[in-house]
């Protein structure tokens, strides 16, 4: 409202001040509303940002845990067997599973098992089952281990099942150790022989070359071959050409070795060679029998037991036999009839399966088969080692004799010429 029509300036100023005060009071709630709305917007925006940050931090932490899981190295079979045995003993004495896992996590020296058991104890404290926590680490616990733990947890026989699992792992570790020890000797001798040859080509043969070059006589073919090899090894340009070729060849062979065609050929060949046939057959049957017996005794269904036991077979030929057993059992055929038609399966193995199926004591019979074939693996390893030792000695002697004859042959020729 305009008060210009009032002549008194004091009155006019007073009325103007009142009008302004009245307008400010009226606009106060509106201003407060605007302030409140702005405050709410800022608060909601901040709240959204906090939620996003929390979500981001949660995803970041989850990814960090997943990366840590991927970096976990699988423990040795022996280390896992010892840890399982300790866990079984603690639970059997009446210690709660949660406390037993905490103690095992604190006392174990293996970093992977320490992390896994600590995480398992935390998961169980939040209400998860033991087997569900172990399933998060397939690189540590295979299907056989998980099936046994699941059966034991369901039936309330976890200490007995863990004890059986520990014995199974110890048996598998024993077989692996025996095979590794049988292969360690020839590999070491072969590597040492290669190293000796390189040393002789680089340091010894050049001395003889200097001796024979002063005579001016032509070198025999064997000697010239070694001289050329010595010159090639010492030539940097030759190494620059050869090293990439060898690297490409190694990469190619490694890729080819992972193809199904090569694996099938390798496994069939191992079962045909007299030296490796018995060892491969007995080790596969020992692993298969021990695993099948442990799973079947724990109450795991026979079809699931066969599927899991098949994964312990390191040979494609026996894996196909296990698949056939699974198929025929679903069709109503007994196991021993399938085994009787397969050539790599020994007659005794088939007979024991037949007795076990007919008497209803399959687990016990298969367990006896496992004991028998584990002893047979030990015998085969000793026999293989006793055969390989003289063969490697003959190999080393032959290489050394070849080098010596090749280097001294020019000297013999010079002596015969002089005489």
């Amino acid at each position: 409202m305009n008060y210009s029509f009032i002549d008194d300036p004091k009155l006019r100023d007073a009325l103007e001040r009142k009008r302004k005060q009245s307008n400010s009071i009226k606009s106060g709630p509106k201003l407060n509303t605007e302030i409140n709305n702005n405050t709410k917007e800022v608060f909601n925006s901040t709240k959204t940002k906090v939620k996003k940050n929390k979500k981001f931090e949660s995803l970041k932490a989850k990814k960090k845990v997943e990366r840590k899981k991927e970096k976990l190295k699988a423990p040795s079979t022996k280390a896992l067997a010892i840890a399982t045995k300790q866990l079984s003993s603690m639970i059997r004495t009446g210690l709660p599973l949660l406390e037993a896992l905490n103690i095992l996590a604190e006392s174990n020296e293996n970093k992977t098992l320490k992390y896994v058991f600590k995480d398992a104890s935390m998961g169980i404290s939040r209400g998860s089952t033991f087997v569900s926590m172990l399933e998060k680490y397939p690189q540590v616990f295979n299907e056989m281990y998980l099936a046994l733990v699941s059966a034991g947890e369901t039936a309330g026989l976890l200490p007995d099942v863990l004890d059986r699992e520990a014995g199974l792992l110890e048996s598998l570790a024993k077989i692996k150790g025996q095979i590794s020890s049988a292969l360690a000797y020839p590999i070491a001798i072969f590597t040492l022989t290669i190293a000796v040859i390189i040393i002789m080509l680089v340091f010894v043969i050049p001395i003889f070359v200097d001796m024979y070059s002063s005579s001016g006589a032509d070198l025999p073919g064997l000697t010239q071959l070694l001289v050329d090899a010595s010159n090639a090894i010492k030539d940097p340009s030759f190494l620059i050409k050869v090293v990439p070729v060898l690297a490409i060849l190694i990469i190619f062979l490694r890729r080819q070795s992972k193809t199904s065609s090569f694996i099938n050929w390798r496994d069939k060949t191992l079962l045909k060679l007299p030296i490796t046939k018995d060892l491969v057959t007995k080790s596969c049957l020992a692993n298969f029998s021990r695993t099948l017996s442990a799973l079947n005794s724990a109450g795991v269904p026979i079809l699931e037991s066969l599927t899991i036991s098949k994964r312990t077979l390191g040979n494609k030929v026996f894996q196909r036999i296990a698949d056939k057993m699974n198929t025929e059992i679903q069709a109503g055929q007994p196991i021993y009839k399938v085994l009787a038609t397969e050539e790599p399966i020994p007659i005794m193995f088939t007979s024991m399966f037949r007795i076990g199926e007919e008497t209803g004591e399959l687990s016990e019979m298969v367990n006896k088969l496992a004991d028998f074939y584990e002893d047979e693996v030990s015998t085969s390893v000793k026999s293989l080692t006793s055969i390989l030792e003289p063969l490697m000695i003959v190999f080393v002697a032959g290489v050394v004799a070849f080098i010596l004859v090749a280097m001294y042959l020019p000297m013999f020729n010079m002596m015969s010429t002089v005489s």
Side-chain angles (χ1 to χ4, degrees):
M1 184 175 179
N2 191 358
Y3 298 102
S4 58
F5 62 90
I6 298 174
D7 296 331
D8 190 352
K10 290 183 179 180
L11 180 60
R12 189 170 58 248
D13 291 341
L15 290 173
E16 286 287 344
R17 284 196 299 270
K18 288 287 184 182
R19 184 178 63 82
K20 289 180 180 179
Q21 288 177 1
S22 177
N23 289 337
S24 64
I25 291 170
K26 289 179 180 179
S27 62
K30 184 178 180 181
L31 180 63
N32 291 335
T33 304
E34 291 176 356
I35 292 172
N36 290 334
N37 289 336
N38 292 334
T39 305
K40 286 180 181 180
E41 288 179 4
V42 172
F43 177 76
N44 291 332
S45 177
T46 306
K47 190 176 180 181
T48 304
K49 288 181 180 179
V50 170
K51 285 183 178 180
K52 287 182 178 179
N53 287 335
K54 286 183 178 179
K55 188 176 181 181
F56 175 75
E57 291 294 333
S58 176
L59 290 173
K60 190 177 179 181
K62 189 176 180 181
K63 287 182 179 179
K64 187 177 180 181
V65 172
E66 289 177 354
R67 283 197 299 268
K68 191 168 184 179
K69 286 181 183 179
E70 291 176 357
K71 291 181 180 179
L72 290 177
K73 293 182 180 179
S76 65
T77 307
K78 187 175 181 180
L80 185 58
I82 294 172
T84 305
K85 188 78 173 178
Q86 292 172 343
L87 183 61
S88 171
S89 301
M90 285 189 284
I91 298 174
R92 196 181 295 278
T93 57
L95 204 65
L97 177 60
L98 182 61
E99 190 173 348
L101 288 171
N102 283 325
I103 294 172
L104 199 59
E106 293 173 1
S107 61
N108 205 293
E109 295 180 357
N110 188 282
K111 292 182 179 180
T112 299
L113 294 178
K114 184 187 291 289
Y115 177 82
V116 168
F117 287 129
K118 186 65 179 177
D119 185 55
S121 67
M122 292 173 62
I124 291 173
S125 66
R126 291 192 294 264
S128 300
T129 61
F130 186 36
V131 69
S132 65
M133 295 305 299
L134 298 185
E135 285 174 349
K136 294 165 59 178
Y137 304 96
Q139 70 272 40
V140 180
F141 305 101
N142 55 21
E143 290 186 40
M144 173 190 66
Y145 199 106
L146 296 174
L148 285 173
V149 172
S150 177
E153 202 170 20
T154 304
L157 300 172
L158 189 58
D160 297 331
V161 169
L162 289 174
D163 193 52
R164 186 179 291 116
E165 174 66 27
L168 177 59
L169 290 172
E170 287 172 355
S171 301
L172 295 176
K174 180 182 176 183
I175 294 174
K176 288 180 181 178
Q178 290 171 343
I179 295 174
S180 298
S181 63
L183 296 176
Y185 179 77
I187 291 174
I189 293 297
F190 183 78
T191 305
L192 183 62
T193 304
I194 298 297
V196 169
I197 291 173
I198 293 174
I199 291 172
M200 294 189 72
L201 289 175
V202 175
F203 299 104
V204 178
I205 290 179
I207 298 174
F208 284 87
V209 172
D210 294 337
M211 292 171 52
Y212 297 143
S213 61
S214 60
S215 65
D218 294 333
L219 297 176
L222 290 178
T223 308
Q224 189 62 48
L225 178 64
L226 289 181
V227 171
D228 294 338
S230 176
N231 293 332
I233 289 178
K234 293 189 297 180
D235 186 8
S237 62
F238 177 79
L239 294 177
I240 291 173
K241 296 176 182 177
V242 169
V243 170
V245 173
L246 288 175
I248 294 171
L249 183 62
I250 291 171
I251 293 172
F252 174 76
L253 291 176
R254 287 184 65 181
R255 288 183 178 178
Q256 286 295 115
S257 63
K258 295 178 182 179
T259 59
S260 58
S261 58
F262 176 84
I263 293 173
N264 291 330
W265 172 82
R266 180 200 64 191
D267 292 343
K268 288 179 182 178
T269 305
L270 289 175
L271 290 176
K272 292 178 181 179
L273 296 175
I275 297 177
T276 58
K277 179 180 178 181
D278 286 344
L279 182 61
V280 172
T281 300
K282 291 171 182 176
S283 63
C284 286
L285 294 181
N287 292 340
F288 179 80
S289 302
R290 184 67 71 190
T291 308
L292 182 62
S293 173
L295 292 169
N296 200 27
S297 300
V300 180
I302 186 64
L303 292 176
E304 186 179 352
S305 299
L306 284 171
T307 303
I308 297 172
S309 301
K310 186 192 80 170
R311 290 176 171 81
T312 64
L313 296 169
N315 190 285
K316 289 290 185 182
V317 176
F318 288 104
Q319 287 181 2
R320 281 194 291 269
I321 294 174
D323 287 334
K324 187 176 179 181
M325 290 168 62
N326 205 323
T327 304
E328 293 296 327
I329 289 172
Q330 294 182 50
Q333 293 292 329
I335 297 176
Y336 74 88
K337 287 189 176 181
V338 180
L339 298 175
T341 60
E342 300 296 334
E343 183 181 352
I345 304 296
I347 297 175
M348 191 196 77
F349 192 85
T350 304
S351 301
M352 292 290 281
F353 258 88
R354 181 175 183 176
I355 294 170
E357 285 185 293
E358 291 179 350
T359 59
E361 298 180 352
L362 182 61
S363 297
E364 185 178 350
M365 288 298 172
V366 175
N367 195 43
K368 290 180 179 179
L369 278 173
D371 293 335
F372 172 77
Y373 280 108
E374 283 175 3
D375 293 337
E376 286 292 304
V377 168
S378 301
T379 305
S380 298
V381 167
K382 291 178 182 177
S383 302
L384 183 62
T385 305
S386 62
I387 293 171
L388 287 175
E389 285 179 359
L391 287 177
M392 295 308 298
I393 292 172
V394 171
F395 170 72
V396 174
V399 171
V400 173
F402 174 79
I403 295 175
L404 290 176
V405 169
M407 296 317 302
Y408 282 99
L409 192 58
M411 192 177 295
F412 296 150
N413 291 340
M414 290 168 60
M415 290 174 63
S416 62
T417 303
V418 172
S419 61

